[in-house]
Amino acid sequence: MSQMLALVILVAILYIGDVVSVRTKAWIPSVFVCAVLFLLGYWTFFPQDIVSLAGVPPTVASMMIYLLITNMGTLLSLQQLKEQWKTILISLAGILGIVVALFGIGTMLFGIETIIVAIPPLVGGVVSALIMSEGAANAGLATLAVFAIVIYVMQGFAGYPLTSIVLKKEGKMLLEKYRKGELKEQKTGTQASVSERHELKLFKKMPDKFNTDYFKFFRLALVGFLAYLVSTLLAPIVVISPYVLCLLFGIIATSIGFLERHVLQKANGFGLAMMALMLFIFDGLKKATPSMMMEILYPLVGCIVLGVVGMYIFSLFMGKVLKVSKEMAFAVSLTALYGFPADYIITNEVINSLTEDEKEREALTSHMLPPMLVGGFISVTMVSVILAGLFVGFL
């Protein structure tokens, strides 16, 4: 198979996944469709090295991970987090619920190694799944390497419908209050902080024409390299994943004005980076035989069910303490199962289904969307990467 034919086939699979997700309004996740097509391909005519053949060997994927995680750090808005402090606590409580339920019950059912591999992908997304998959593979745990990918692929089936159900209940309650004049649209800085252009304080005297795509890539790569360097220097004392430091250094670099927000998008590299990363993720399924898939089915379903139950109990408790409705608290914690952009899509679809009045939609959006976005950011973008960086050391 030629390189370009391999690339065409793989990108077509990614596109088919997107189309199905859009047509079903995200009820069938794109990653699930892609995973099924990859499995069918590997079980039939795909060469085992089709992803490397298409131009995405492990070294390229590793480069993209450094850039993407550092870019994640640039998305942090301190103003947004300040406004949504209750959301952060609820999100952390939900994550704690997953950890407690899986370590408390899951280890007795599935074994400690399975639980260690399961938690970071269940709390987060593609990056944490890849970290745990690579860690399991390096530890000689081939089945668990596949398990990390599959649990990432499947968790949306629990997250999407549950989120839609609880958000509709929350939305109906808020809508009733709004129509009675008991609820006003929140005018916060959150929405503005999401889209505002972060000033490059360290380069404010530099003309914009010199801030080229290559300069953006250079600064992003430099921050990633510093994270790697610090991780290497600390290794004799304490083992800290360079990916965790990439996230931290991205936040610091943005706050001091060295990186702008969404720098990878502004450098026109985000789409290509995500494509390479997704292809490398699905490359992990090449070792998944039909018998192996049947073998991991039981721990897969068990881990997701236990995680959701633990998440619900802990988020419910935290919601009561903070005087947040149980529906909103559970919805915020569920963002750990999918993150952005699914949290944005589901929230908007629920709001649009509840009312056609533009003012009512704006009022619901101001109350429901900010906590959903922050919840997804905290769990998927930050905590899952940190957990993966810690847990991978125990394999």
Side-chain angles (χ1 to χ4, degrees):
M1 184 179 288
S2 68
Q3 178 181 9
M4 291 312 297
L5 176 58
L7 182 62
V8 167
I9 292 172
L10 298 184
V11 176
I13 288 176
L14 296 181
Y15 176 64
I16 291 170
D18 278 346
V19 170
V20 173
S21 179
V22 170
R23 292 285 293 178
T24 61
K25 295 184 178 179
W27 284 92
I28 301 179
S30 62
V31 290
F32 172 75
V33 177
C34 293
V36 170
L37 293 176
F38 264 87
L39 282 173
L40 293 176
Y42 283 125
W43 294 346
T44 52
F45 69 98
F46 277 12
Q48 289 290 293
D49 62 343
I50 187 171
V51 173
S52 293
L53 188 62
V56 189
T59 51
V60 171
S62 179
M63 173 184 70
M64 295 303 182
I65 294 172
Y66 275 98
L67 296 181
L68 282 164
I69 298 183
T70 307
N71 183 69
M72 283 181 182
T74 72
L75 306 181
L76 178 62
S77 167
L78 297 178
Q79 177 64 24
Q80 190 179 50
L81 296 181
K82 182 180 177 181
E83 292 171 359
Q84 295 293 331
W85 64 272
K86 289 185 179 181
T87 299
I88 295 173
L89 292 178
I90 291 170
S91 180
L92 293 175
I95 292 169
L96 182 61
I98 294 175
V99 174
V100 170
L102 289 181
F103 272 122
I105 302 173
T107 49
M108 294 185 289
L109 299 174
F110 315 119
I112 185 67
E113 288 179 335
T114 300
I115 298 305
I116 288 173
V117 170
I119 288 176
L122 195 57
V123 170
V126 58
V127 173
S128 53
L130 183 55
I131 292 172
M132 297 313 298
S133 179
E134 284 189 332
N138 293 337
L141 305 169
T143 301
L144 291 182
V146 174
F147 180 66
I149 304 300
V150 175
I151 200 168
Y152 158 70
V153 168
M154 296 299 296
Q155 62 192 12
F157 279 102
Y160 297 144
L162 284 174
T163 303
S164 183
I165 291 168
V166 294
L167 278 183
K168 281 181 180 177
K169 288 184 178 180
E170 175 73 8
K172 287 177 181 177
M173 182 269 293
L174 292 174
L175 199 55
E176 187 178 337
K177 283 187 175 181
Y178 180 80
R179 288 170 178 171
K180 290 179 179 178
E182 300 172 1
L183 183 74
K184 302 296 181 184
E185 182 181 347
Q186 290 182 342
K187 295 292 184 181
T188 70
T190 300
Q191 286 142 319
S193 66
V194 171
S195 59
E196 68 184 358
R197 181 183 182 275
H198 191 91
E199 183 185 5
L200 285 172
K201 300 171 189 174
L202 299 184
F203 304 100
K204 57 185 178 182
K205 293 184 179 180
M206 185 183 74
D208 285 343
K209 63 182 179 181
F210 292 118
N211 188 18
T212 65
D213 289 349
Y214 290 136
F215 188 54
K216 293 182 179 73
F217 275 119
F218 166 72
R219 286 182 283 116
L220 193 62
L222 179 60
V223 174
F225 168 69
L226 291 175
Y228 165 79
L229 187 63
V230 171
S231 174
T232 304
L233 292 174
L234 290 175
I237 306 168
V238 60
V239 177
I240 302 178
S241 169
Y243 300 143
V244 175
L245 292 178
C246 278
L247 189 68
L248 175 62
F249 281 31
I251 295 171
I252 295 171
T254 307
S255 65
I256 66 174
F258 185 75
L259 292 177
E260 56 265 70
R261 286 166 53 81
H262 301 281
V263 61
L264 195 54
Q265 287 91 327
K266 291 175 180 176
N268 298 306
F270 184 77
L272 184 63
M274 280 303 299
M275 182 190 76
L277 187 60
M278 293 308 297
L279 291 179
F280 190 65
I281 277 284
F282 293 122
D283 181 55
L285 297 174
K286 64 187 176 185
K287 298 176 182 177
T289 61
S291 60
M292 182 185 290
M293 293 300 293
M294 292 303 297
E295 182 183 339
I296 64 178
L297 183 62
Y298 168 57
L300 172 70
V301 175
C303 286
I304 292 176
V305 170
L306 283 174
V308 170
V309 171
M311 183 189 299
Y312 174 73
I313 294 171
F314 276 65
S315 64
L316 180 66
F317 173 77
M318 185 60 71
K320 281 190 174 182
V321 171
L322 300 175
K323 297 182 180 179
V324 175
S325 70
K326 63 181 180 181
E327 289 83 9
M328 196 69 237
F330 191 32
V332 165
S333 63
L334 282 169
T335 58
L337 300 181
Y338 43 81
F340 185 85
D343 49 8
Y344 178 84
I345 294 169
I346 294 171
T347 307
N348 275 302
E349 285 180 351
V350 167
I351 291 170
N352 292 335
S353 71
L354 291 173
T355 178
E356 294 183 0
D357 184 273
E358 194 59 36
K359 288 187 177 179
E360 289 180 346
R361 286 180 176 178
E362 288 176 1
L364 291 179
T365 299
S366 69
H367 282 272
M368 295 169 65
L369 187 58
M372 290 296 288
L373 291 177
V374 173
F377 178 85
I378 291 297
S379 57
V380 175
T381 305
M382 292 186 65
V383 178
S384 69
V385 176
I386 293 170
L387 285 178
L390 295 174
F391 281 24
V392 76
F394 297 119
L395 292 175

